[in-house]
Amino acid sequence: MARFVCSSEGFAKKPDNQTTPQKDKPHTRTGCKARLKIRLQDGIWKVSVFVDDHNHPLITSPAKKRGLRSHRELDPEDRQYIKDMHAQNIEPVKIHQFLVAKHGGMKNVKFKRKDVSNQIASENRRFVGVDVEATLVYFQKKKEEDSEFYYDVEVDEDGHLKNIFWVDGRARRACQEFGDVVTFDTTYQTNRYCMPLAPFIGVNHHWQNIYFGVAMLRSEMKVSFVWLFQTWVKAMYGKKPKTIITDQCPSMRIAIKEVFPNTVHRCCQWHVMRKASDHLGALYNLKDGFEDELKRVINCSMTVSEFEEDWRNMLVKHDLRNNRHLKNMYESRSEWVPAYFRDVFCANMSTSQRSESANASLKIWTDNHHSMYKLALHVEKIVEGIWARESDEDIATMKKVPKFLTLYLMEKDASQVYTAKIMSVFKENLKLSQLGEVNEVEKDMLYEVTIKEHPTIEKWREVTYIVKVDKSEEFVSCSCRGYEFHGLLCSHAIKIMHHVNLFHLPKRYIMKRWCKDANASVKRSHVERSMEFGSTQEQATIRVATLKPRLMRILDIASISSDAFIQFQGLLDMVEQQMQGHVVVAGEEEPIACEDATPSNGVLDPPISQCKGKRKQPQRLKPPSEAKKPRKCGICGSKKGGHNARTCPLKKMKGKDMEDDYADSGPENEEYEDLSS
């Protein structure tokens, strides 16, 4: 026997002992008695009971039946579209609009926009409880594809994930060439666990960002950073950066000193100046010229002694010797002032801006609702985009010939070794070498270059640079320390080299990391994955993209006439029957990562991190019985004033007599009750 009832049959159940207020939602069940019963008799289904008396209005328009729950459905193709488009960070409303257009209008769509959101939420719920294990299974598969892929985890005493780090093989090899300068910063609101995301960012020979690994930390304590830095060194085959740029996090500073004792640690100058603007903003307005002079002292001092002298003079001039924030800035000057890093190679970086830009681009794809598994997929997507852009620049550098700015032989030499982007920077230095006056201090040995005006800087003050030169050794050194800091000859050094007839670019001043073949060893070691064989998700996507154009052309032909349509349907039935044998094989070859993961495998999902980037949890709507009770003031005894003993109005009353009266009368005095109300 089979029984069919109306969707409005029965009544909604009332929750038992429910104290939390519920949303005011209308009931859809009205106790309708309409029903149908059928029985199987002698192999034939026969109707035994049929009642068509509904106690509610019926939908009479066929166009509105799609609103009924029984008629709403998502077919497998639409589910796959939703999954693929959501993976590209497309909003549910836009996914719904696309599917409406794909089906030829709203009247042909069998689902609502809410169904799209529910499908996405259902997909995300698959990772609840097995998120970490799904991520580790995914990393293990990456390791099978790339033997140099590296990941490591740290768990707490309860088996929950504490920290995790991962990096692909190409980044590990690239670090050997470009890992001399690294910027490091943490960012928040990228995952559902509120764990800070910590990418290691460098710069390649095309002046592009490059990822040297990504980590997720439960806390920003010293012990977490120590574990991360030690793991990073292990992953990079023992290589440590020469310079690392971070913010002024104390825990980070201590961990860097412990793990990277010989690495120069520089704090981000932008963060320092932003804090200065917050604390000194009033002084910028009150003291005319103070802001410009502060920036000039910081950025234009060539030596440590010059900076310290100019700083003291500035404090005296503006009478700020006792300003607390300026004292703090001066005490930490060796961590961020440019004069202390003139001889340190920083790839022309003084801030952690590259980390900030990398974090900003990552947040386009992630938010505080993403699982760890989805976050890892998005990181891989960004990293693949970085490698693709690097490859594009390699091709552009190889195929395009730069346009020469001058007739200098040095420019021709540079064009043969430098990448297109670095060559453009070098050409700018060549152009600036036309500025200034040369004063010979000692022939062919010591010169002064004085620049009185600058075409692009309005508030320029006259600056004199000291340039040492040795023609026999093809040696040149400028007091601005441009080559030491940037890795390219500065305009002052170029000017003096031409002055003493050194026309070619010396090999000693060609830094390999800026050359066209800087990543040659990285590319030689890189093994391209074949997309022709195998059954990974990426390969399946490529196969679909290959077949789709051909199928679309056939569909256009099949829709021309009814005969072509009928013929194509017959061919489709035959092809579908033949392809059924491949479905089971494909399912056995490629299990979904999260289905392989179970909590019993070892590592449990982490709890919500209590870091400073923790998102605010949604507040439950409390019933009146749980409402917060008003506090009673310990002085006046009032519950109506909305205050306590510390903020009681009686404390603000003036006059000793009032205090004496209060002491004699006690807290029950009605006069003070009125004052507090």
Side-chain angles (χ1 to χ4, degrees):
M1 183 186 71
R3 181 172 178 265
F4 300 91
V5 298
C6 177
S7 60
S8 298
E9 182 265 347
F11 297 94
K13 292 183 179 180
K14 294 183 178 180
D16 298 332
N17 300 325
Q18 184 69 39
T19 58
T20 302
Q22 299 294 305
K23 292 182 179 179
D24 185 16
K25 293 171 38 176
H27 296 296
T28 59
R29 302 177 67 180
T30 60
C32 182
K33 301 295 184 180
R35 62 191 183 277
L36 170 67
K37 287 184 180 181
I38 57 177
R39 296 178 182 276
L40 185 63
Q41 295 179 357
D42 301 328
I44 300 175
W45 287 99
K46 296 183 178 181
V47 176
S48 60
V49 177
F50 175 64
V51 178
D52 63 346
D53 185 16
H54 295 268
N55 65 351
H56 56 86
L58 298 177
I59 294 176
T60 58
S61 172
K64 295 181 179 179
K65 67 180 182 180
R66 64 183 185 86
L68 297 174
R69 186 172 61 180
S70 58
H71 288 69
R72 286 161 56 184
E73 64 173 341
L74 281 167
D75 57 42
E77 182 183 2
D78 289 334
R79 292 177 190 272
Q80 188 61 42
Y81 268 113
I82 293 172
K83 181 178 179 181
D84 293 341
M85 296 179 75
H86 178 63
Q88 305 307 316
N89 211 34
I90 300 177
E91 299 173 359
V93 61
K94 295 182 179 179
I95 297 176
H96 181 258
Q97 292 172 353
F98 168 79
L99 293 175
V100 168
K102 172 179 171 289
H103 286 284
M106 189 70 74
K107 61 182 179 297
N108 299 323
V109 176
K110 299 180 181 179
F111 52 87
K112 297 182 178 180
R113 188 172 66 187
K114 183 63 176 177
D115 296 321
V116 176
S117 300
N118 290 342
Q119 177 63 24
I120 293 173
S122 176
E123 181 71 19
N124 292 336
R125 282 195 295 270
R126 296 168 60 201
F127 299 98
V128 175
V130 295
D131 192 10
V132 173
E133 288 300 321
T135 306
L136 297 181
V137 169
Y138 169 70
F139 286 165
Q140 189 59 38
K141 290 185 177 181
K142 294 290 295 181
K143 193 170 183 63
E144 293 172 2
E145 298 174 3
D146 178 5
S147 60
E148 290 187 83
F149 185 90
Y150 181 90
Y151 69 94
D152 197 2
V153 297
E154 183 183 19
V155 298
D156 59 19
E157 59 276 6
D158 297 324
H160 293 275
L161 179 75
K162 193 174 181 181
N163 303 310
I164 185 170
F165 169 82
W166 71 95
V167 60
D168 63 23
R170 186 166 180 178
R172 297 177 72 187
R173 294 187 294 273
C175 186
Q176 308 308 307
E177 304 294 341
F178 308 117
D180 44 6
V181 181
V182 173
T183 67
F184 179 78
D185 191 17
T186 54
T187 187
Y188 312 98
Q189 305 290 327
T190 61
N191 58 88
R192 64 174 59 157
Y193 309 106
C194 301
M195 295 176 68
L197 190 74
F200 292 84
I201 305 297
V203 57
N204 66 6
H205 56 317
H206 296 297
W207 202 243
Q208 298 171 324
N209 281 3
I210 182 172
Y211 274 73
F212 291 141
V214 181
M216 293 176 66
L217 308 174
R218 187 186 295 182
S219 70
E220 292 181 287
M221 305 296 288
K222 173 208 163 186
V223 62
S224 296
F225 287 124
V226 168
W227 176 88
L228 175 57
F229 294 151
Q230 290 175 343
T231 303
W232 187 81
V233 173
K234 188 193 305 182
M236 299 305 163
Y237 306 107
K239 182 180 178 64
K240 297 182 180 180
K242 296 179 180 178
T243 306
I244 185 168
I245 304 174
T246 71
D247 59 17
Q248 293 180 295
C249 174
S251 301
M252 206 179 291
R253 182 190 299 114
I254 297 172
I256 288 173
K257 287 182 179 180
E258 182 175 329
V259 183
F260 305 134
N262 299 321
T263 296
V264 176
H265 178 206
R266 180 171 188 176
C267 292
C268 174
Q269 184 179 341
W270 181 85
H271 283 91
V272 175
M273 297 306 295
R274 186 183 65 175
K275 290 182 180 179
S277 178
D278 295 339
H279 288 83
L280 306 175
L283 293 177
Y284 289 167
N285 296 325
L286 293 175
K287 296 186 177 292
D288 187 35
F290 169 64
E291 181 180 4
D292 292 335
E293 185 169 0
L294 175 64
K295 294 178 179 179
R296 180 189 62 77
V297 170
I298 292 172
N299 296 317
C300 298
S301 300
M302 292 294 106
T303 63
V304 172
S305 58
E306 181 182 349
F307 165 76
E308 293 178 348
E309 182 180 356
D310 289 347
W311 184 275
R312 286 192 294 269
N313 294 336
M314 176 190 68
L315 296 183
V316 172
K317 177 181 176 181
H318 296 282
D319 192 21
L320 295 171
R321 284 169 290 185
N322 296 323
N323 186 278
R324 181 178 299 177
H325 189 74
L326 288 174
K327 285 183 177 180
N328 294 335
M329 291 177 65
Y330 187 75
E331 289 173 358
S332 62
R333 62 192 182 280
S334 61
E335 298 177 351
W336 61 275
V337 174
Y340 289 83
F341 300 94
R342 298 289 183 191
D343 291 321
V344 178
F345 178 70
C346 296
N348 203 34
M349 293 186 291
S350 59
T351 69
S352 59
Q353 181 181 1
R354 290 190 175 272
S355 290
E356 298 287 348
S357 63
N359 294 340
S361 63
L362 183 62
K363 287 188 176 182
I364 296 175
W365 297 95
T366 62
D367 57 34
N368 56 14
H369 302 290
H370 270 68
S371 64
M372 188 178 298
Y373 176 74
K374 291 292 182 68
L375 176 61
L377 292 180
H378 287 313
V379 170
E380 182 191 8
K381 194 180 301 180
I382 292 174
V383 171
E384 285 182 348
I386 288 175
W387 298 135
R389 287 191 292 273
E390 180 181 310
S391 179
D392 293 341
E393 284 297 323
D394 284 340
I395 295 173
T397 298
M398 181 174 59
K399 295 293 185 182
K400 296 179 182 179
V401 179
K403 186 182 294 185
F404 290 142
L405 184 68
T406 67
L407 297 176
Y408 292 159
L409 295 176
M410 188 179 295
E411 184 177 6
K412 182 179 179 181
D413 295 341
S415 67
Q416 294 174 351
V417 294
Y418 289 144
T419 61
K421 178 61 180 179
I422 301 303
M423 184 61 196
S424 66
V425 178
F426 186 80
K427 286 166 66 175
E428 186 65 22
N429 288 349
L430 278 174
K431 184 165 60 175
L432 292 175
S433 68
Q434 303 174 55
L435 297 176
E437 300 175 357
V438 176
N439 178 35
E440 183 179 292
V441 179
E442 189 173 350
K443 185 175 177 59
D444 293 339
M445 292 186 66
L446 190 63
Y447 293 86
E448 292 179 347
V449 177
T450 302
I451 301 178
K452 298 180 179 179
E453 295 181 355
H454 200 286
T456 59
I457 302 177
E458 293 184 4
K459 298 180 180 180
W460 177 265
R461 70 163 187 170
E462 181 177 317
V463 182
T464 298
Y465 300 95
I466 308 299
V467 182
K468 299 178 182 179
V469 64
D470 187 337
K471 291 182 62 176
S472 60
E473 296 293 332
E474 293 187 327
F475 168 82
V476 63
S477 176
C478 179
S479 61
C480 77
R481 316 306 288 168
Y483 176 77
E484 289 77 7
F485 182 75
H486 190 181
L488 293 174
L489 283 176
C490 64
S491 60
H492 327 113
I494 294 174
K495 186 177 188 68
I496 297 303
M497 289 179 70
H498 283 95
H499 184 78
V500 298
N501 299 326
L502 284 175
F503 300 115
H504 288 277
L505 181 63
K507 292 183 178 180
R508 67 191 301 169
Y509 296 114
I510 299 176
M511 191 172 286
K512 183 184 176 183
R513 72 159 356 264
W514 301 132
C515 294
K516 298 177 181 179
D517 60 346
N519 64 343
S521 60
V522 177
K523 291 194 291 186
R524 279 197 299 269
S525 302
H526 181 56
V527 180
E528 297 292 341
R529 289 176 293 173
S530 171
M531 300 305 172
E532 183 177 359
F533 303 102
S535 56
T536 64
Q537 184 65 35
E538 186 180 37
Q539 293 162 356
T541 304
I542 292 176
R543 295 188 191 111
V544 171
T546 305
L547 293 173
K548 200 167 187 177
R550 297 183 62 188
L551 290 174
M552 294 303 295
R553 289 194 298 270
I554 297 173
L555 288 174
D556 291 338
I557 298 172
S559 61
I560 293 175
S561 64
S562 59
D563 293 339
F565 177 74
I566 295 171
Q567 181 182 0
F568 182 63
Q569 275 193 318
L571 293 173
L572 272 181
D573 293 338
M574 182 175 62
V575 171
E576 185 177 6
Q577 185 177 1
Q578 293 176 355
M579 296 302 294
Q580 287 297 324
H582 298 278
V583 175
V584 177
V585 176
E588 291 176 351
E589 285 182 354
E590 187 62 24
I592 300 175
C594 65
E595 292 180 353
D596 291 345
T598 59
S600 60
N601 286 347
V603 185
L604 303 177
D605 290 355
I608 300 297
S609 176
Q610 300 300 318
C611 65
K612 61 184 179 182
K614 179 179 179 293
R615 70 174 186 267
K616 293 183 179 179
Q617 298 296 323
Q619 297 294 321
R620 178 174 63 89
L621 184 62
K622 297 181 179 180
S625 60
E626 297 182 25
K628 186 177 180 180
K629 296 180 180 180
R631 297 178 62 180
K632 180 179 179 180
C633 177
I635 295 179
C636 66
S638 172
K639 294 183 179 180
K640 301 177 182 179
H643 63 268
N644 53 30
R646 183 175 59 84
T647 59
C648 183
L650 290 176
K651 298 185 72 172
K652 300 178 181 180
M653 297 177 64
K654 297 181 180 180
K656 188 175 180 181
D657 295 338
M658 295 294 296
E659 294 180 0
D660 295 337
D661 291 343
Y662 170 73
D664 295 337
S665 60
E668 301 298 328
N669 193 317
E670 294 181 357
E671 178 183 358
Y672 298 119
E673 284 284 342
D674 295 334
L675 288 171
S676 62
S677 59

